[in-house]
Amino acid sequence: MLEDLLGRSFPYLRLSVTEACNFRCSYCLPDGYKKTGVSDFLSADEIIRLVSGFADLGVRKVRLTGGEPTLRRDIPTIASAISALGRIETLAMTTNGYNLKTQAGIFADSGINALNVSIDSLQADKFHRITGHDKLKDILEGIDLARKAGIKPIKINCVLIKGVNDDEWPDFVALARREDISIRFIELMQTGDNGDYFRKHHLSGEVLQAYLTAEGFAPLPRSATGGPALEYGHPDHGGRIGIIAPYSKDFCTTCNRLRVTARGDLRLCLFGEFGYGLRPYLQSADQRNELTQRITDLLSYKTRSHNLGQGVTGLTPHLASIGG
Ligand code: SAM
Ligand code: SF4
């Protein structure tokens, strides 16, 4: 198992498969995706070699993300090939849900067995304003189809946006209770491009924690391959609420994930200052040992913590560029 100098191990890889996105989320790509340079994102073959190498190093959970991963037509091919390796227990995808209604069954058949769908408002007009798309109803129907196709768990990602969706916490909690679905609230993070938006709309996860406690939720234990969320459960129903609070003290001590960008750069931290190119090691299957050695060596550069609290956003102009 991969370990860094601080003894943290890394069973979880977050892999961006594209920088492109069709949405214009106000905190991420408010002016839409603008292509920069050549879009030479990792090919399906390069991705499989990469995941095989990480599997050799003990990775058992892979999340496909982006940009919007479902914009890649070969995503079912990629997912099927990763499943066929037989070594990845959880093959997850984070999506804006745009293509779920038409493709939920295809995603399930290709081996995706965990899904996070981003929904920042349960009000159709507000959802439209935040994302630029009047698609809330279709996305909720897509979630239902994904569930019927057998994908479990399905979680909803909701970014905490002060003055925009903090009036909707009771509605999200009611949804969790009614549908037995988990909601992940994500603290808004500052990135290179969204400083003004961040200063206006950032809300600490602690405020939500206090609300959940008052509603009878209690913290649950964390699993080894689990994500960064602090999870809360309720004695009366199965729906869980998670809070991802990167600004909280000690957030980085439980870091168990590495990221690779759509262009094949290893990022040791979401807000790190460096990307380390792995692409040269993905050109043929017989480079596998070189690849795993390179990843192992690079891990010694992983730092104790990000410096987001000091406004250091590293290389990340927006999360679409690295895979949130
Ligand atoms: N396009 C897909 C989606 O939206 O689900 C996957 C990529 S997106 C970058 C992954 C997650 O990051 C989404 O849940 C999104 O809401 C979240 N995100 C994007 N920018 C963020 C920011 N500045 N702060 C917190 N979360 C952010
Ligand atoms: Fe696209 Fe996801 Fe960013 Fe929204 S959060 S603009 S859906 S990449």
Side-chain angles (χ1 to χ4, degrees):
M1 172 70 75
L2 271 176
E3 251 196 26
D4 72 357
L5 299 175
L6 299 170
R8 294 174 294 192
S9 52
F10 299 92
Y12 181 7
L13 171 67
R14 300 182 67 114
L15 173 57
S16 175
V17 293
T18 180
E19 292 165 8
C21 188
N22 53 339
F23 274 26
R24 296 189 292 276
C25 298
S26 32
Y27 48 81
C28 183
L29 294 173
D31 303 320
Y33 167 66
K34 303 267 187 306
K35 192 171 163 183
T36 49
V38 189
S39 307
D40 54 345
F41 304 135
L42 293 179
S43 68
D45 286 343
E46 288 172 318
I47 288 173
I48 305 315
R49 289 181 200 125
L50 180 85
V51 173
S52 301
F54 274 99
D56 285 352
L57 294 168
V59 163
R60 294 293 174 262
K61 175 172 176 179
V62 173
R63 177 174 301 280
L64 303 173
T65 179
E68 175 46 39
T70 67
L71 293 187
R72 268 186 83 143
R73 291 215 188 94
D74 59 355
I75 213 69
T77 312
I78 292 170
S80 299
I82 293 176
S83 309
L85 294 175
R87 304 167 74 194
I88 302 301
E89 291 154 15
T90 306
L91 179 54
M93 181 164 72
T94 301
T95 172
N96 62 25
Y98 187 89
N99 288 318
L100 213 47
K101 196 170 159 185
T102 50
Q103 295 186 36
I106 298 173
F107 298 147
D109 289 345
S110 61
I112 289 171
N113 56 16
L115 206 55
N116 282 43
V117 186
S118 301
I119 298 182
D120 297 328
S121 173
L122 295 169
Q123 298 169 13
D125 53 339
K126 202 194 285 182
F127 182 92
H128 189 173
R129 275 203 305 281
I130 296 172
T131 63
H133 284 266
D134 187 9
K135 279 277 173 192
L136 177 65
K137 188 166 168 285
D138 285 347
I139 292 169
L140 290 172
E141 283 174 27
I143 290 179
D144 212 35
L145 291 171
R147 194 186 251 180
K148 288 187 178 126
I151 301 182
K152 191 175 160 74
I154 299 178
K155 295 173 185 163
I156 291 176
N157 281 8
C158 173
V159 178
L160 291 173
I161 319 174
K162 187 166 75 182
V164 175
N165 63 7
D166 43 351
D167 58 330
E168 291 192 53
W169 293 351
D171 302 335
F172 277 100
V173 169
L175 179 72
R177 182 175 291 144
R178 196 174 61 238
E179 304 280 331
D180 201 6
I181 198 166
S182 292
I183 317 280
R184 286 264 177 285
F185 287 103
I186 311 174
E187 232 182 83
L188 178 65
M189 295 174 232
Q190 185 177 1
T191 58
D193 286 356
N194 76 1
D196 288 345
Y197 191 92
F198 172 82
R199 282 181 282 281
K200 189 164 170 209
H201 294 291
H202 176 257
L203 184 65
S204 165
E206 285 173 20
V207 188
L208 176 62
Q209 266 170 289
Y211 170 78
L212 292 176
T213 308
E215 289 293 306
F217 283 85
L220 298 167
R222 196 173 176 278
S223 83
T225 53
L230 250 178
E231 277 216 295
Y232 284 74
H234 197 286
D236 299 341
H237 57 87
R240 293 175 171 192
I241 308 282
I243 305 180
I244 300 180
Y247 292 89
S248 66
K249 192 173 147 295
D250 294 338
F251 180 74
C252 302
T253 54
T254 52
C255 184
N256 64 353
R257 55 209 165 272
L258 296 170
R259 294 164 194 275
V260 174
T261 69
R263 295 175 196 267
D265 285 359
L266 176 69
R267 297 282 184 89
L268 298 167
C269 173
L270 182 52
F271 294 100
E273 305 279 353
F274 303 101
Y276 306 92
L278 296 180
R279 205 166 200 174
Y281 304 90
L282 301 175
Q283 302 314 306
S284 79
D286 57 18
Q287 289 176 296
R288 189 123 137 218
N289 289 343
E290 268 181 279
L291 171 68
T292 52
Q293 190 56 55
R294 176 80 179 137
I295 297 168
T296 309
D297 292 347
L298 287 171
L299 216 64
S300 62
Y301 298 119
K302 186 164 168 69
T303 54
R304 182 176 292 276
S305 164
H306 62 61
N307 290 311
L308 258 190
Q310 291 77 50
V312 179
T313 56
L315 282 178
T316 307
H318 43 71
L319 293 198
S321 69
I322 177 172

